[in-house]
Amino acid sequence: MSVNANPTKDIVCGMTVDPAKTPHRTTHDGGDYFFCGNGCKTKFVADPAKYLSPAPKPLTPTQTQPGTLWTCPMHPEVQSAGPGPCPICGMALEPMVPTASAAPNPELADMTRRFWIGLALALPVVGLAMSGELLPWLQFVFATPVVAWAGAPFFVRGWSSLVHRRFNMFTLIALGTGIAYLDSLVALLAPGLFPSAFRDMDGAVPVYFEAAAVITVLVLLGQVLELRARAATGAAIKALLGLAPKTARRIDEAGNESDVPLDHIARGDRLRVRPGEKVPVDGTLIDGSGTIDESMITGEAMPIEKRPGDNVTGATLNGTGSFVMRAERIGAETLLAQIVALVAKAQRSRAPVQRLADAIAAWFVPAVIGIATVTFLAWALFGPAPALAYALVNAVAVLIIACPCALGLATPMSIMAASGRGARAGILFRDAEALERLAAIDTLVIDKTGTLTEGKPRVVGLGAIGVSENELLRLVASLERGSEHPLAAAILAEAQTRSLTLAETHDFKAVTGQGATALIENRRVAIGNFALMLTLGIGADALPVEAKKRRQDGETVVFAALDGILAGYIAIADTPKPNAATALAALRADSIRVVMATGDARATAQVIASRLGIDDVEAEMLPAQKAALIEKLQARGRRVAMAGDGINDAPALAQATVGIAMGTGADVALESAGVTLVKGDLDGILRARHLSRATMANIRQNLFFAFAFNALAIPIAAGALYPISGLLLSPMIASAAMSVSSLAVVGNSLRLARIKV
C-alpha cells in the first residue's frame, strides 16, 4: 500500500489514478483506498501531511531491492518507497520484508557516522567545562557542529512533529537541546540581556554548550544501539530466507542435467536432489527416495523417509538417498515464501493491548511539555539563586528524560520477536491479535480426522482362515490395486510394508455398495462388507468373533472370500496421532476444556474420544453446525479456539476466538486461521499457547517499565528530590537515562527470540 498526497499519480508505479473512476474503500480516518491499473493500492487522505514524510531520495542497489516498501515498526500504516523517518513518531523506517543479503541499514550507517564525529567534537567541550577554564567561545566552536550537524535529524523530526501536530520523542529532544544551545548562544553574544536571576555568584551568565553537545551524542548513541537491536527482530525472517538454495539441478527432456538459478524453475520441471542438498522448491517425489530433515520448517528434529508420491518441501535438507522430484510450487507459492510473508505481516500488525499505549502516547508529549513549563515557573518563582538558571536546567532535564519511544516500542518489539521465534518452531501467527487472544482461551474445539487422528486409514488387524495372513493380504491387495478408495490405499500400503508381490487380476467386477470380485491365479477373490458376504452365501455365524469385536470398537472391517468361502478379514482404522493423548492431557491440566467436533459416525467418534480421554463429543456434524457449536459456547462466555484442517473447517475456524489450522507440509492453509501449525501436531497447540503467554507477559513487563520509568524519572528531573536531599538531575544524565529506557524495552523483547517453545 502506498500513501499518496497526489490524487493523479501512484507513488509505487507512477501510473495515473483517477479517484472518480477507480474502485475504493473509505476508511476510519476519512481517507480512501484506490487501486491503480497495476494493482497497487494508493491511499488518499484529507490531510496527507498527517501521514507523509518528504519523498525519499532515490535508492542505490545496495540499499534495498526494487519494489521493497519501508514501514514504521510502531505505525505500520505508514509505508514508503525508501528509508527515512516516520512522520508520526520520527523512528527510522524498516524494510517491510528483510532480504537474506540485505545491505547495512542506511539509517544505522548515518547515525553511526554522526555519533562518532559528534563524540570526537563533544569530548573537548566536556573537558573545557570540567577544567574550570570554561572558555565559552571555544566551547561554542566545538559544540556547534555537534548540535547543528550531528543532531540535525532530531531537529528535522522535531520540527516535522510540530508542523504535523504528531508530537513524539524528537519533539522533546529538539526542544531540550535547542533551548540549552540557544540560551548559551545568547549568553555568549549578549550577556547583558539576562537578569540577575540568571547570573551566578560572580555575575556571569552560565552556558550549557557541553550539556547540549553531550545530550546530542548520547541520544545518537541510543539511536545506534536501538537500530542494531531492532534489526535483530528481523533475524528470524532473514534466517528463513537464507534457507532457500540458490540453484536447482534440472533434468531436461533428453535426460541431461544442469544447475540453473532457482528463479528459472517452472512448474512441472524435473529436478534431481542429491545427498546433502536442499530441496529447491515444493513438489512431489517421483523417483528414488530420501531422508528429509524438515526441522527448519516444522521444528521436528527427526528426519522423515520420503518415497515416490510423497510431498517434499523447498529449503528442507536431504540427508541420504538421491531422488527426482517434480516442481509444483515455485516462487511466492512455496511454503517457505508463504511463511516469510505471513511472519512479516504478523510483525507489522498491532495487538489490542497496544490501544492503551496508543491512547496514553497521544497525550504524553503535550503533558511532558506542560510539566516542563510548570517546572520552569516553579523554580523561577521559588527556587534559590540563580533561580532562572535552575529553572532552565530542570525544565530541559524534564524534556530530555521523558521517553514516549519506550512506551510505543513496548508492544511491537515483543510481537516482532515472538513472531520470528514462532516461525522457527513451525508456529505461524497471522497477526498480533491472534497471538494475544490465544493466551486467553479456555475451550478447545477440535476436529477428529487429520487433527486428533493421522487422517490416513491403515490396517490395524488381519485374521486369516485356511490361508496365511500374507497370502490373504497379497490376493486382496492385488484385487484392490486399481481402486482409489481410501480403504484400498490402506490395504495396498500394508502389502507394500510387507514387501508382497502382487498378482495380475482378471474378470474384475465391482459390486455397488458392497465391494468387488476378480479372478486371481485361477481363484475367485472377493473383498467387501458384510452385505457382499451375504450375497456369497456366507452368514453372520461364520464371521470371526474378533472381527465382530473390532466393528463394535469403531474399526472398519472388510471381509475376504476365496472361491465363495470366508478366508478372513482386514480391520482398518484411522488411528490417533502418537502424541494426541499426552498433548490433550496437558491441555486439560492447563484448564482447557476439550470438545471433539466431527462429521464421523457417533460410534467411531466415541471410540477415538475414549482412547484420548475426551468427555465432550459432538458427532455427525456438518461444517455449519461446528460453527454454530462454537457460537453457542461463546454465548456462554467461553473463549474458544478451534483446531482443524483449515479447509473443511473454515466456517468454524472463522467463528472461533482463535482458529488454529493444523498444517501438513506443503498443504498448509496459511490464510484460513489466526494460527497455523506447520507440522500439524497437537503439541504445537501447547507450544503456541506457551509462546502466546510468554509474549503477553513480556508486553506487560515492557509497558510496566515504560510507565514506571516515566512516573519516577520525570518528577526527579523536575527536582522533586531537591528539598529532601539537594539532588538535581543533570540534563546529560537525563539523556543517558532516556536512551537506556528504550534499549531496556527492546532488550527485554529480544528475550522472546531465545525462549524455549
Side-chain angles (χ1 to χ4, degrees):
M1 182 190 76
S2 55
V3 183
N4 197 351
N6 184 350
T8 60
K9 294 288 184 181
D10 183 274
I11 64 173
V12 174
C13 66
M15 185 174 181
T16 300
V17 180
D18 185 356
K21 301 178 180 180
T22 307
H24 71 282
R25 177 171 64 86
T26 302
T27 62
H28 68 280
D29 55 8
D32 291 311
Y33 290 114
F34 294 86
F35 294 83
C36 80
N38 288 335
C40 307
K41 185 164 66 173
T42 298
K43 180 179 180 182
F44 299 97
V45 293
D47 180 16
K50 184 171 70 172
Y51 289 96
L52 296 177
S53 55
K57 298 178 181 178
L59 304 176
T60 64
T62 59
Q63 288 178 326
T64 184
Q65 293 184 353
T68 299
L69 292 177
W70 296 62
T71 187
C72 173
M74 285 172 54
H75 301 89
E77 69 271 20
V78 174
Q79 297 175 12
S80 170
C86 171
I88 296 178
C89 66
M91 291 181 64
L93 302 181
E94 299 175 345
M96 291 180 67
V97 179
T99 58
S101 57
N105 187 330
E107 180 80 10
L108 175 59
D110 180 60
M111 289 294 182
T112 302
R113 181 174 61 253
R114 292 176 186 272
F115 165 72
W116 286 113
I117 295 175
L119 177 63
L121 294 172
L123 288 176
V125 182
V126 176
L128 290 170
M130 295 178 63
S131 67
E133 298 293 332
L134 297 180
L135 301 176
W137 280 100
L138 194 55
Q139 289 189 47
F140 164 76
V141 170
F142 281 106
T144 297
V146 177
V147 176
W149 176 79
F154 306 147
F155 290 103
V156 171
R157 297 175 189 185
W159 176 253
S160 177
S161 72
L162 293 174
V163 171
H164 298 157
R165 296 182 179 87
R166 303 295 298 216
F167 306 124
N168 53 53
M169 176 182 74
F170 298 101
T171 312
L172 303 178
I173 294 172
L175 285 174
T177 55
I179 290 172
Y181 178 82
L182 291 176
D183 175 82
S184 302
L185 182 62
V186 174
L188 181 65
L189 299 177
L193 296 178
F194 288 84
S196 58
F198 265 101
R199 301 176 183 274
D200 58 23
M201 296 179 61
D202 298 326
V205 181
V207 294
Y208 305 102
F209 288 120
E210 84 285 357
V214 171
I215 289 171
T216 301
V217 170
L218 288 173
V219 175
L220 283 168
L221 175 60
Q223 288 292 292
V224 169
L225 296 177
E226 182 184 313
L227 286 167
R228 288 180 178 176
R230 281 166 50 191
T233 60
I237 294 182
K238 292 182 180 179
L240 288 171
L241 289 167
L243 294 176
K246 303 297 184 291
T247 62
R249 192 165 188 82
R250 184 169 59 189
I251 305 174
D252 60 22
E253 294 182 358
N256 300 317
E257 300 182 8
S258 59
D259 292 328
V260 298
L262 205 61
D263 56 4
H264 289 186
I265 299 300
R267 290 190 196 88
D269 282 352
R270 291 186 301 151
L271 310 173
R272 181 174 297 281
V273 181
R274 295 168 292 189
E277 292 182 340
K278 290 183 176 180
V279 178
V281 295
D282 296 0
T284 302
L285 194 152
I286 58 177
D287 185 38
S289 63
T291 303
I292 308 295
D293 178 1
E294 297 184 336
S295 59
M296 64 275 294
I297 298 294
T298 66
E300 173 58 50
M302 292 297 294
I304 300 174
E305 185 76 19
K306 297 286 186 177
R307 299 182 182 277
D310 289 342
N311 294 326
V312 290
T313 305
T316 56
L317 180 65
N318 180 32
T320 60
S322 176
F323 61 85
V324 177
M325 61 172 289
R326 180 175 58 251
E328 295 178 348
R329 298 185 183 184
I330 60 176
E333 299 174 344
T334 65
L335 176 64
L336 179 64
Q338 293 180 64
I339 289 175
V340 169
L342 190 61
V343 173
K345 178 183 176 182
Q347 290 186 341
R348 296 193 303 272
S349 62
R350 299 167 75 85
V353 71
Q354 192 169 348
R355 294 169 187 160
L356 172 63
D358 290 344
I360 295 175
W363 296 95
F364 185 85
V365 174
V368 170
I369 294 174
I371 293 172
T373 302
V374 172
T375 299
F376 181 87
L377 294 175
W379 279 93
L381 295 174
F382 307 110
L388 291 181
Y390 277 116
L392 179 65
V393 170
N394 289 316
V396 168
V398 169
L399 292 171
I400 294 298
I401 203 168
C403 188
C405 193
L407 185 62
L409 286 172
T411 297
M413 288 296 103
S414 296
I415 296 298
M416 292 176 73
S419 299
R421 178 64 187 95
R424 295 200 305 273
I427 303 166
L428 306 179
F429 295 97
R430 187 171 61 185
D431 51 36
E433 185 173 1
L435 197 156
E436 178 177 338
R437 287 183 173 182
L438 186 60
I441 66 165
D442 54 26
T443 303
L444 175 64
V445 175
I446 192 164
D447 181 42
K448 181 184 77 69
T449 305
T451 304
L452 291 173
T453 64
E454 297 286 359
K456 295 180 179 179
R458 66 182 183 89
V459 173
V460 294
L462 193 155
I465 303 173
V467 66
S468 69
E469 288 187 357
N470 281 352
E471 179 64 10
L472 176 65
L473 181 63
R474 184 181 73 87
L475 293 173
V476 170
S478 299
L479 188 151
E480 295 280 26
R481 182 160 47 181
S483 174
E484 296 182 354
H485 194 280
L487 299 183
I491 293 173
L492 288 167
E494 181 66 16
Q496 183 179 16
T497 300
R498 300 191 184 196
S499 302
L500 302 180
T501 301
L502 305 186
E504 293 293 329
T505 62
H506 305 279
D507 191 25
F508 178 88
K509 296 179 181 179
V511 183
T512 304
Q514 296 182 6
T517 66
L519 191 63
I520 304 175
E521 296 178 347
N522 296 320
R523 304 188 70 177
R524 175 61 61 179
V525 180
I527 179 75
N529 55 23
F530 180 58
L532 180 62
M533 296 300 104
L534 290 177
T535 301
L536 297 175
I538 300 172
D541 294 341
L543 301 183
V545 175
E546 179 66 20
K548 296 178 181 178
K549 183 177 183 301
R550 286 183 176 275
R551 292 176 67 185
Q552 293 172 355
D553 289 342
E555 297 175 4
T556 300
V557 178
V558 294
F559 300 97
L562 298 178
D563 298 324
I565 300 174
L566 183 67
Y569 70 89
I570 300 175
I572 301 172
D574 184 10
T575 57
K577 292 182 177 180
N579 64 337
T582 55
L584 292 176
L587 286 167
R588 287 191 293 269
D590 197 24
S591 301
I592 300 294
R593 175 188 175 189
V594 179
V595 181
M596 177 198 289
T598 178
D600 280 357
R602 180 165 298 278
T604 302
Q606 288 288 1
V607 169
I608 296 296
S610 63
R611 292 180 185 177
L612 299 178
I614 300 175
D615 296 325
D616 295 335
V617 179
E618 299 289 342
E620 301 174 1
M621 301 193 77
L622 297 174
Q625 292 174 316
K626 292 183 181 180
L629 169 64
I630 293 174
E631 187 174 7
K632 182 171 67 173
L633 290 170
Q634 290 172 327
R636 297 174 183 171
R638 311 292 295 187
R639 294 182 291 272
V640 185
M642 169 66 191
D645 61 15
I647 300 172
N648 297 330
D649 296 311
L653 289 167
Q655 177 63 42
T657 307
V658 181
I660 303 174
M662 310 296 285
T664 53
D667 294 328
V668 61
L670 291 175
E671 290 297 332
S672 63
V675 182
T676 298
L677 305 178
V678 177
K679 184 184 173 186
D681 66 326
L682 294 173
D683 285 336
I685 299 178
L686 288 167
R687 298 200 307 271
R689 183 168 164 81
H690 173 65
L691 179 59
S692 175
R693 284 181 161 179
T695 303
M696 296 312 300
N698 191 272
I699 290 173
R700 286 191 288 268
Q701 291 165 4
N702 286 344
L703 290 173
F704 173 80
F705 176 81
F707 287 133
F709 172 82
N710 285 295
L712 293 174
I714 292 175
I716 292 175
L721 297 180
Y722 183 80
I724 302 172
S725 61
L727 177 66
L728 289 176
L729 193 64
S730 165
M732 291 182 286
I733 296 177
S735 175
M738 182 273 297
S739 297
V740 168
S741 68
S742 293
L743 290 173
V745 167
V746 175
N748 186 52
S749 300
L750 289 178
R751 292 192 304 111
L752 291 171
R754 300 184 297 274
I755 191 173
K756 184 178 179 180
V757 296

